[in-house]
Amino acid sequence: MSGERREGLAAWGSGAVKRLSERLERQRQRMEQRRHAAEHEVKHVGHDLEQVEHRNEPPPLTTVAAAVQDPHGAPAFPSLPTSPSEAVPWSLRVTAETVWRLLVVAAGLYVLFRVVQTLHIVAFAFIAALLISALLQPTVSRLQRLGLPRALAAAVTFVGGLVGIGLVGWFVGWQVSTNLGEVTNKVQSGIAQIHGWLTHGPMHLTDNQINQFVKQLQNAVGTNSDQITSFGFSTVGIVIEILTGVFLAAFCTFFLIYDGERIWNWLLRLFPPTARVAMAGAGPRAWSTLTAYVRGTVLVAFIDSVSIGIGIFLLGVPLALPVSVLIFLGAFVPLVGALVTGTIAVLIALVTKSVFTAAMVLVVLLVVQQIEGHLLQPLILGRAVRVHPIAVVLSVTVGSILGSIGGAIVAVPLVAVTNTTIGYLKARQRASQDVRIALLTAQAEARTAAETTEAPPSGG
């Protein structure tokens, strides 16, 4: 009896082991199938992403008409395509579609440029307000951290900026009026020297010839009095436009530093819902780039004006301080602004001093310009703006052609902000694709891990 029990127990044990092994094998097969399905899903998603990135790949070949067979047994020859587009090479089709899209973009930019050109006062005033706001915004934030309300901090910063500009204008006017008499005497002395050189120099002109030339010049002025009068009227119009632009810039500056965040949130609502998140991230980065550019440009302009001002003061050229202020304003045009406005100091030195002094002033200008281009610009603006010097020169040239001095001033910050925005959007697109692939992979792995942890069913 004991032997039969042992045999029955052994038979039952072997059957249970066999059934358990069969269940484990079926479970392993199910897990293997699910793992293959997850890998196939990940590969399918990766293939879809590659198709999104490479949309310029040629489409699959379409069927064409059947080859025509010669009834006498001659070999078949290809028939004509079923549609005209099949006869065009793929590279030519891609080129044509790229070109017409570029033409559409160029047409849109041209229309935008014409609108800005028509409303140039409003456009340049708003851009100037943006630049000034980027310079004043850190001060408003600092006053807020000290406990002032935002409205009071914006008002204090705005009024302080106006007072500073007014004091600079008063200082320049005072310096010009103080040194005007000396400069006038120097100019008269220079004219007398020119008269003496004309009469006693190599030209040997007489006083009658010089007087006749002066009369001809007066007659030319009288003949062209209409043009001069019209120029006067146009000058009055320019002054009115400048005053209007200054008022608009001041008005926009105050509200940008006071309510800039709400204005930006309102602008975000104008974008499509799918683009709002991306633009919400690109906006602060573009504003940081603009702020860094303006602060760096102010520092570079200050160093240029102080260096050139000290140089022309040591050379004894009058109006050194007013000329330094003009150089500071001109230095807002990168690379060439300080050099162009510094030529005023060369002319003053030529009229009031000598040719040697004027040459020395020119040497000072060139030295400071080289220091700015090779040292100040890379160290102060290089990390913040990240724009190549070739792009800076080209943008300043194009901006001066399209918009004169205003275009030259706004060209570089516009290029810098555009570069930052495009770089952020491209990096965000690449990161979103990587995150999508990682999430899908993690989801597939989580499903596989959950299936492996399931307990096997109990045997009967």
Side-chain angles (χ1 to χ4, degrees), residues 146-167:
L146 293 177
L148 290 180
R150 184 170 184 82
L152 182 59
V156 169
T157 304
F158 181 74
V159 173
L162 290 180
V163 171
I165 294 174
L167 290 176

Side-chain angles (χ1 to χ4, degrees), residues 49-262:
L49 292 176
E50 289 180 357
Q51 287 183 346
V52 170
E53 294 177 354
H54 303 284
R55 291 188 181 276
N56 287 332
E57 291 184 353
L61 297 176
T62 56
T63 58
V64 297
V68 179
Q69 185 72 29
D70 193 298
H72 300 288
F77 58 92
S79 63
L80 293 176
T82 58
S83 63
S85 61
E86 295 178 1
V88 181
W90 173 251
S91 59
L92 182 58
R93 291 168 61 183
V94 172
T95 304
E97 293 192 10
T98 304
V99 168
W100 75 255
R101 284 179 171 84
L102 290 176
L103 290 176
V104 171
V105 174
L109 292 176
Y110 176 76
V111 172
L112 178 63
F113 171 73
R114 296 297 298 178
V115 172
V116 172
Q117 190 177 25
T118 304
L119 305 175
H120 61 278
I121 299 178
V122 178
F124 282 121
F126 184 73
I127 294 175
L130 281 177
L131 297 177
I132 298 173
S133 300
L135 180 64
L136 298 180
Q137 185 62 43
T139 304
V140 177
S141 301
R142 193 175 296 110
L143 291 177
Q144 282 187 281
R145 288 194 295 269
L146 293 177
L148 290 180
R150 184 170 184 82
L152 182 59
V156 169
T157 304
F158 181 74
V159 173
L162 290 180
V163 171
I165 294 174
L167 290 176
V168 171
W170 169 81
F171 178 75
V172 172
W174 173 63
Q175 286 292 315
V176 171
S177 61
T178 302
N179 296 277
L180 186 61
E182 179 184 358
V183 174
T184 302
N185 295 331
K186 294 288 186 180
V187 170
Q188 292 177 353
S189 176
I191 293 174
Q193 292 178 1
I194 294 174
H195 182 273
W197 181 79
L198 292 174
T199 54
H200 302 289
M203 301 186 68
H204 297 288
L205 297 178
T206 62
D207 291 339
N208 293 329
Q209 290 175 334
I210 296 175
N211 293 332
Q212 185 178 2
F213 173 75
V214 173
K215 289 181 180 179
Q216 290 177 356
L217 183 61
Q218 293 175 351
N219 292 332
V221 172
T223 304
N224 298 322
S225 59
D226 295 337
Q227 288 82 355
I228 295 175
T229 304
S230 64
F231 175 75
F233 284 115
S234 64
T235 304
V236 172
I238 292 173
V239 171
I240 294 175
E241 289 185 358
I242 292 175
L243 293 178
T244 304
V246 169
F247 175 77
L248 286 176
F251 184 81
C252 294
T253 298
F254 174 75
F255 282 99
L256 284 175
I257 62 176
Y258 167 64
D259 214 10
E261 185 175 356
R262 290 178 56 188

